[in-house]
């Protein structure tokens, strides 16, 4: 019975990896064929998310390319999204200083736009980064702020 369970888990892992590789190949093709900056940006963002678990270094590269494209086109909100994505990757890599720096850059942009949902998302991510560092006091400050901001949207 144990061998059968291990075999099933192994097969599941193999099929999942194959499916993810196919998805990434499809996204890379879409990126190479993108005719507009908007299409290219969307492909970069989706591609970066496809790498979220498997390859954080690739995620950072695609988010930075997305950021450059957003900056070129003056897409301010999208700049914040990309910076936040890079911050999340660094947080998961354990580089909390870089994570916090990228999150704070993203937060300043979202605050400038008065993007309440964006601010809430970023504050939540900063709180999560502090949790990973076992700094619960700082984490609670950001998580409470994120909750207040979300409640503002719900009212």
């Amino acid at each position: 019975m144990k061998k059968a369970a291990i075999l099933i888990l192994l097969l599941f892992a193999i099929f999942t990896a194959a499916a993810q590789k196919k998805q990434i190949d499809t996204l890379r093709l879409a990126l190479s064929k993108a005719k507009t900056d908007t299409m290219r940006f969307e492909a970069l963002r989706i591609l970066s998310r496809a790498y979220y678990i498997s390859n954080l270094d690739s995620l950072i590269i695609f988010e930075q390319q997305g950021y450059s494209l957003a900056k070129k086109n003056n897409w301010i909100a999208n700049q914040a999204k990309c910076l936040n994505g890079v911050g999340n990757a660094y947080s998961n890599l354990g580089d909390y200083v870089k994570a916090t720096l990228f999150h704070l850059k993203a937060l300043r942009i979202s605050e400038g736009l008065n993007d309440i949902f964006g601010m809430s998302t970023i504050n939540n991510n900063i709180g999560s980064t502090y949790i990973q560092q076992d700094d619960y006091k700082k984490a609670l400050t950001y998580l409470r702020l994120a909750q207040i901001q979300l409640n503002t949207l719900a009212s």
Side-chain angles (χ1 to χ4, degrees):
M1 184 68 169
K2 238 182 186 183
K3 288 182 182 179
I6 291 172
L7 180 63
I8 290 171
L9 286 175
L10 184 60
L11 288 173
F12 178 74
I14 290 169
F15 287 126
T16 301
Q20 183 181 18
K21 177 155 178 24
K22 184 176 180 183
Q23 176 193 25
I24 288 171
D25 289 344
T26 302
L27 290 169
R28 281 182 176 270
L29 181 62
L31 178 60
S32 71
K33 292 186 176 195
K35 296 193 186 304
T36 66
D37 282 352
T38 302
M39 291 170 62
R40 185 167 171 72
F41 179 81
E42 287 306 317
L44 286 166
R45 291 285 291 157
I46 295 167
L47 192 53
S48 73
R49 280 183 243 134
Y51 280 112
Y52 188 74
I53 302 293
S54 64
N55 190 336
L56 293 169
D57 292 332
S58 292
L59 181 152
I60 291 168
I61 290 167
F62 289 118
E63 287 287 11
Q64 288 174 330
Q65 289 176 5
Y67 174 78
S68 295
L69 201 54
K71 192 165 177 97
K72 171 187 158 198
N73 288 287
N74 202 31
W75 300 332
I76 308 296
N78 286 332
Q79 291 175 35
K81 290 175 186 176
C82 292
L83 291 170
N84 186 49
V86 172
N88 287 338
Y90 279 121
S91 183
N92 287 326
L93 286 169
D95 192 337
Y96 304 121
V97 173
K98 279 188 181 177
T100 303
L101 289 173
F102 277 96
H103 283 134
L104 290 174
K105 285 181 185 177
L107 184 60
R108 280 193 297 276
I109 291 171
S110 290
E111 287 171 344
L113 296 171
N114 198 30
D115 176 5
I116 304 297
F117 183 77
M119 290 186 292
S120 175
T121 299
I122 297 164
N123 279 316
N124 182 69
N125 292 339
I126 295 170
S128 295
T129 299
Y130 280 118
I131 287 172
Q132 290 176 325
Q133 299 172 74
D134 297 326
D135 190 340
Y136 301 111
K137 186 175 181 181
K138 283 185 182 174
L140 198 54
T141 300
Y142 285 96
L143 294 172
R144 283 184 177 147
L145 186 54
Q147 182 179 19
I148 290 167
Q149 290 163 334
L150 273 181
N151 289 342
T152 301
L153 290 174
S155 352

